[in-house]
Amino acid sequence: MGLAGLAAFWWLTRPVTAPPHVAAALAGLDSNPQRGALVFHASGCASCHAAPGATGEARLVLAGGRRFPSPFGSFVAPNISPHPEHGIGSWSLTDLYNALKHGTTPDGTHHYPAFPYTTYQRIRLQDVADLYAFLQTLPPSDAASLPHDLPFPFSFRRGIGLWKRLYLRPGWVVNGSLSHEEARGRYLVEALGHCGECHTPRDSLGGLDTARWLAGAPNPAGKGRIPNITPAVLDWSQADIAYYLETGFTPDYDSAGGEMAEVVENLSHLPKSDLMAIAAYLKRVPPMPDPPGKP
Amino acid sequence: MKHLKRASLAGAALAAGLAAATPALAEGGAHDAAIAARKAHMQLLKWELTTLGAMAKGAIPYDAEKAASAANDLKALAGLDLHNAWPEESDSDMNQNTRALPKIWENMEDFGKKYGALQAATEAMAAAAGKDLDSLKAAMGNVGGACKACHKEYRKPKDG
């Protein structure tokens, strides 16, 4: 009985990897590092993986080292530069796909969901291939990745398999008939931009409460709150939202600060049509008023 | 009676200790005028940016004369020194009416450098705004970059 339970646990928590037909499809794709650069900026890779405090060109050295406090312990972003030993230079395209899509490492263990594969699982194959090509062009860093600082039971990676069964749900959060522009925005937000990872509240197990999608949440870094960006609260025009994402200026010319300043740095690399698409999508998100008594 | 006396003594000691530990509460608003002055400075910067931003966004038609006038004001505002509006202990730990993080005073040199970047960006804006709309738009991006660079590092996030 105990053995059967253990076997069931082992089966339920096994890390998933790409089936052969997907690996074959990936191998057959042409990749383009210029397109990959846009995927990279839209996905905000540098925000976590650049060395802490890096600015400008230095943000393209993905040495890792930034710490992320959470209720479960402290995560440290790893080196994902193309260094063969300390970075991900030895990864295959399928390895990158497995990481983004399934949160699975090349040696078949689970990534912690601090790496937002709950979002990236919706990425298109072509974008994975282009991103892979772009990452190869970046400067390698020989900085060693640091271990996460997590207490038991969160230090036990196999358990993440159960968490994934609960929270790694394919499909879109916002459904219904979307215009071409809104659908592009949905892809940018729900598959790449991972806006929801900060702007959506989490339950006690750290899973996103998609019933309150983008309705604001406490800041895991402890200071202030991440704002509600559903139409119930964010009443800016589409053009104002797009301009904010491009320049960081709010409609009254205050500017983005904190983490969002970095998001704007990433998004300013995207074409304006993409920023308008994100804004169009945000207008289609179900409005969620703030709960009464919010600080 | 004896008990009460001891309790109130302990209370007084505690209150004294608290007062010593939290000078901000004891001194109450010693830096309010400086904080108000630098907030007003920010309001003026925002005010000039409203005109330039509306043109950049296409919300109002481009007008070279109006754009140049706003950009010159912006440059003049960013040219103010205002060092004295940022005294020690006028930070967000010691005062409730500011989001200026204490780390500003630990990194005054970098803070000054970032303010210098704003001055450079507004000078470039003053040179660009009256030229044409595309120059204005490009300059606006750099001004935004300078605002963000400082607010990212040194401004406490809002509570809501």
Side-chain angles (χ1 to χ4, degrees):
Chain A
M1 186 61 195
L3 212 61
L6 198 66
F9 174 80
W10 214 247
W11 170 253
L12 284 170
T13 58
R14 75 198 185 285
V16 178
T17 53
H21 70 93
V22 172
L26 273 171
L29 290 172
D30 283 329
S31 62
N32 175 325
Q34 277 87 44
R35 282 196 314 247
L38 296 182
V39 178
F40 175 82
H41 293 304
S43 305
C45 312
S47 290
C48 293
H49 291 283
T55 55
E57 283 291 296
R59 295 181 82 240
L60 293 176
V61 184
L62 305 176
R66 183 161 169 185
R67 290 186 168 270
F68 296 88
S70 83
F72 311 103
S74 186
F75 296 96
V76 188
N79 181 336
I80 61 160
S81 78
H83 192 281
E85 191 190 334
H86 294 295
I88 62 170
S90 63
W91 284 25
S92 69
L93 172 56
T94 308
D95 287 338
L96 181 64
Y97 172 87
N98 285 333
L100 295 167
K101 192 82 184 173
H102 301 296
T104 300
T105 67
D107 59 1
T109 58
H110 293 296
H111 282 292
Y112 283 99
F115 170 42
Y117 50 78
T118 39
T119 292
Y120 298 149
Q121 57 155 334
R122 302 186 182 94
I123 195 173
R124 284 193 300 252
L125 293 182
Q126 183 64 58
D127 281 355
V128 180
D130 291 339
L131 178 62
Y132 183 78
F134 176 72
L135 290 174
Q136 309 288 315
T137 69
L138 298 178
S141 157
D142 61 4
S145 293
L146 301 170
H148 301 310
D149 186 8
L150 303 169
F152 188 83
F154 307 118
S155 54
F156 176 58
R157 280 188 186 244
R158 189 76 190 198
I160 300 167
L162 287 180
W163 190 92
K164 286 180 179 175
R165 292 208 164 253
L166 284 172
Y167 297 111
L168 199 55
R169 298 266 171 208
W172 303 108
V173 179
V174 174
N175 289 292
S177 83
L178 269 58
S179 71
H180 180 76
E181 187 182 45
E182 289 161 353
R184 174 67 184 160
R186 177 174 67 181
Y187 181 73
L188 288 164
V189 171
E190 295 191 20
L192 303 184
H194 61 280
C195 315
E197 302 283 341
C198 288
H199 285 280
T200 300
R202 293 177 184 275
D203 63 20
S204 55
L205 290 173
L208 292 177
D209 176 10
T210 50
R212 292 192 57 77
W213 183 242
L214 302 181
N219 186 342
K223 284 184 209 137
R225 267 182 77 82
I226 315 268
N228 183 336
I229 52 169
T230 73
V233 171
L234 184 66
D235 56 0
W236 304 354
S237 73
Q238 184 191 2
D240 280 348
I241 295 172
Y243 196 67
Y244 172 77
L245 297 175
E246 181 193 341
T247 63
F249 283 125
T250 66
D252 64 350
Y253 296 90
D254 194 348
S255 98
E259 317 274 286
M260 198 58 201
E262 273 183 79
V263 176
V264 172
E265 275 164 45
N266 299 330
L267 294 181
S268 62
H269 293 275
L270 299 190
K272 294 209 177 97
S273 56
D274 274 351
L275 304 181
M276 285 297 275
I278 292 174
Y281 164 81
L282 288 176
K283 295 272 166 205
R284 278 296 301 266
V285 168
M288 289 282 155
D290 281 331
K294 185 194 74 97
Chain B
M1 186 62 195
K2 215 172 179 185
H3 268 328
L4 229 170
K5 206 171 177 183
R6 200 178 292 158
S8 61
L9 261 177
L14 189 68
L18 268 179
T22 55
L25 295 179
E27 289 176 23
H31 297 301
D32 281 1
I35 291 168
R38 67 202 194 205
K39 281 187 172 175
H41 182 225
M42 294 292 162
Q43 288 296 327
L44 286 169
L45 288 164
K46 281 165 66 173
W47 170 248
E48 301 299 346
L49 283 165
T50 305
T51 306
L52 298 166
M55 289 184 200
K57 266 190 261 193
I60 60 171
Y62 175 71
D63 177 322
E65 207 173 307
K66 277 188 197 158
S69 152
N72 283 330
D73 282 0
L74 190 72
K75 177 181 136 184
L77 287 166
L80 297 178
D81 178 78
L82 281 182
H83 243 88
N84 53 5
W86 298 85
E88 287 283 342
E89 301 191 331
S90 64
D91 58 71
S92 60
D93 278 1
M94 304 282 274
N95 303 270
Q96 294 193 328
N97 48 352
T98 178
R99 288 157 65 200
L101 289 169
K103 124 187 210 210
I104 291 174
W105 287 267
E106 291 155 25
N107 301 281
M108 205 25 112
E109 197 180 324
D110 182 59
F111 185 70
K113 213 158 77 184
K114 287 188 161 59
Y115 187 62
L118 175 71
Q119 292 177 328
T122 56
E123 281 162 21
M125 172 62 93
K131 227 188 274 172
D132 56 52
L133 183 57
D134 281 341
S135 309
L136 184 156
K137 280 184 184 170
M140 196 69 184
N142 292 331
V143 175
C147 298
K148 267 189 292 142
C150 207
H151 288 156
K152 178 168 108 182
E153 225 37 63
Y154 296 121
R155 186 174 63 172
K156 191 175 155 186
K158 259 188 214 165
D159 286 333

